[in-house]
Amino acid sequence: MNSRQPEAALNIRTAPEPTDPAAAPPAEMVEDHPPAAAATMRPRHFGLLASLIFMAVVPALLTGIYLWGWAADRYVSRVAFSVRQVDAASASDLLGGLARLAGTSSSSDTDILYQFIQSQELVGIIDGELDLRRMWSNGDPALDPWFSYHPPGTIEDLTSYWPRMVKVYNDSGTGIVNVEVQAFTPDDAHAIATRVYEESARLVNELSAVAREDTLRYSREDRDEAVARLKEAREAMTGFRNRTQIVDPAASVQNQMGLLLSLQTQLAETLIARATLKDTAPADDPRILQADRRIEVIRQQIEEERKNLGLGSNAAGDSGAFADLVGEYERLAVDLQFAEQSYTAAMAAYDAAVAESRRQTRYLAAHVAPTRPEASEQPRRLMLLALVWFFSFLAWGVVVLVYYSLRDRR
């Protein structure tokens, strides 16, 4: 251990407890401190107070005077609706006991309505019917320049003012569109909300009509094509029958085969009779000669029938091979059968499309009909005053913090 540590420890002075008068430090150890001056208002404090009044109190005071003195009351009419679509089973499902009827909401239709309600087209339609410029200038722009509309303005000005008075909320989860319409009188608010709902219903009906017309047009085109195909197939079959004088090659071949079989049977019987007669009669017996003649004729006829099996001749004497005629007939029969089936399916689809177009499958369902307000809800004066005070005070606080931070860096 260092030998200097005890000496240093001996030289350390410990201050006596202040409660012990005998242990008071010597007078030479006490430093002289001047007394603190009394706190007084300095110019910067007056500046802070003035800035607080100018940046927070005055804006809130002016806002309150404007809201309670000049701002006109506004009434709110509400309406809520959604697009409902009915999915109905086809006629074949109804016959099979698989009918179903369900109501669904199309999110795409809801999005279309959301955009339509905020469009310039709707603003122009309602303005032409109700004169929105007159309705929304009832708040007297001279007294209420902030909330009232300044007529006349262009359609673009009216469209820009529209979102302030007509607020649209689209609930993507339920597909319900909520609309809040503001006006300076209850009747005006209710009238605008009613027209918004009616124009939305008209748009949905037009979309449904376009969809039905597209379905009918496609079904009609398919039906016309099926009718033309069936007509061509029947004309081809008729031409084949007129040309070949054969109604049904299958029936003709049965008749030809029956005749050939009969000739072969007669030939066999004649051969047997001749053999029997030859054993009992001389060679120059007229009966044997007659049998030979009959056998020759039958053989010639069989050969002729074999050569002409399946042949058909028209008035001009033209003929064709039986295999070719059968192949042509089968091709025409297949074409005719396919044309008939296509025609049946096309007619069923067309009838179903016509029946579907006669009933409304997409419609606008009003969950909340346009309400007629009785008391004004806008402007929300206390809330607006509180917001103005809060943001003014917040801005003043930021300015003060920036000021003191710059002052401390000097």
Side-chain angles (χ1 to χ4, degrees):
M1 181 179 297
N2 192 350
S3 60
R4 296 182 180 180
Q5 291 182 355
E7 296 178 359
L10 294 176
N11 294 330
I12 295 175
R13 296 181 180 180
T14 57
E17 295 294 333
T19 57
D20 188 3
E28 62 273 10
M29 298 182 60
V30 180
E31 298 180 0
D32 296 334
H33 294 283
T40 58
M41 293 288 290
R42 297 188 178 185
R44 66 173 181 273
H45 298 154
F46 290 103
L48 290 177
L49 181 60
S51 64
L52 175 63
I53 296 174
F54 179 76
M55 296 185 63
V57 177
V58 172
L61 181 61
L62 294 178
T63 301
I65 294 174
Y66 179 80
L67 290 175
W68 272 271
W70 295 340
D73 293 336
R74 301 196 305 275
Y75 298 84
V76 180
S77 176
R78 294 177 174 85
V79 59
F81 47 81
S82 64
V83 180
R84 311 301 295 177
Q85 185 172 357
V86 177
D87 295 332
S90 62
S92 60
D93 292 339
L94 293 175
L95 295 176
L98 300 177
R100 60 185 178 89
L101 187 64
T104 59
S105 178
S106 174
S107 58
S108 60
D109 293 337
T110 303
D111 295 337
I112 292 174
L113 278 181
Y114 180 78
Q115 296 297 330
F116 174 72
I117 295 175
Q118 302 178 89
S119 66
Q120 180 175 325
E121 177 185 359
L122 179 62
V123 175
I125 293 174
I126 298 181
D127 179 54
E129 296 179 357
L130 302 180
D131 192 2
L132 293 176
R133 293 176 172 85
R134 177 191 58 80
M135 288 183 173
W136 284 341
S137 61
N138 285 338
D140 192 356
L143 297 177
D144 187 6
W146 179 258
F147 295 109
S148 297
Y149 177 76
H150 297 265
T154 63
I155 186 62
E156 288 78 12
D157 297 333
L158 195 61
T159 304
S160 300
Y161 185 76
W162 174 273
R164 298 178 57 183
M165 304 298 282
V166 179
K167 302 184 182 301
V168 188
Y169 306 97
N170 183 13
D171 190 349
S172 59
T174 60
I176 298 177
V177 178
N178 296 277
V179 182
E180 293 184 358
V181 179
Q182 301 180 21
F184 295 98
T185 63
D187 294 336
D188 291 346
H190 179 264
I192 296 174
T194 302
R195 292 300 301 135
V196 168
Y197 172 74
E198 292 175 352
E199 289 300 321
S200 300
R202 180 189 59 81
L203 176 64
V204 171
N205 293 335
E206 289 182 355
L207 294 176
S208 181
V210 170
R212 290 196 301 267
E213 181 58 29
D214 289 341
T215 302
L216 282 177
R217 178 165 55 86
Y218 296 144
S219 300
R220 192 182 300 111
E221 291 177 355
D222 293 341
R223 182 203 61 182
D224 295 341
E225 291 179 0
V227 170
R229 187 183 298 112
L230 180 60
K231 183 178 179 180
E232 292 177 359
R234 288 179 175 176
E235 290 177 353
M237 180 63 73
T238 302
F240 170 81
R241 288 170 175 170
N242 293 332
R243 176 170 54 85
T244 61
Q245 297 297 315
I246 299 176
V247 177
D248 187 357
S252 298
V253 73
Q254 289 180 0
N255 296 332
Q256 295 289 341
M257 292 301 296
L259 178 59
L260 182 60
L261 181 61
S262 176
L263 291 174
Q264 290 177 347
T265 302
Q266 294 178 18
L267 178 61
E269 293 176 352
T270 305
L271 288 174
I272 294 174
R274 180 182 179 281
T276 304
L277 184 62
K278 187 177 181 180
D279 293 338
T280 59
D284 57 352
D285 191 331
R287 292 178 296 176
I288 295 178
L289 297 176
Q290 184 179 4
D292 293 337
R293 180 61 181 166
R294 180 179 176 83
I295 290 172
E296 183 181 359
V297 171
I298 292 176
R299 284 177 176 175
Q300 291 179 357
Q301 188 65 31
I302 291 175
E303 185 67 21
E304 187 70 19
E305 292 298 329
R306 285 179 176 177
K307 290 172 60 178
N308 298 328
L309 181 62
L311 295 179
S313 301
N314 54 17
D318 297 333
S319 63
F322 179 74
D324 295 338
L325 294 178
V326 171
E328 183 180 359
Y329 176 81
E330 289 179 349
R331 178 180 60 81
L332 294 176
V334 170
D335 292 343
L336 180 59
Q337 183 180 5
F338 178 76
E340 290 175 348
Q341 293 178 352
S342 300
Y343 174 77
T344 302
M347 287 301 298
Y350 179 75
D351 292 340
V354 172
E356 186 73 16
S357 65
R358 290 177 180 174
R359 64 174 179 268
Q360 189 176 15
T361 58
R362 185 187 287 111
Y363 61 93
L364 193 68
H367 301 277
V368 177
T371 59
R372 184 181 298 274
E374 296 182 356
S376 63
E377 300 182 24
Q378 298 289 344
R380 298 179 180 179
R381 294 178 171 85
L382 292 177
M383 184 187 70
L384 293 177
L385 181 60
L387 289 175
V388 171
W389 164 256
F390 173 76
F391 285 105
S392 299
F393 185 79
L394 184 63
W396 173 81
V398 171
V399 171
V400 170
L401 290 177
V402 172
Y403 167 75
Y404 273 99
S405 64
L406 296 177
R407 180 175 176 273
D408 292 340
R409 290 186 179 183
R410 295 178 181 177

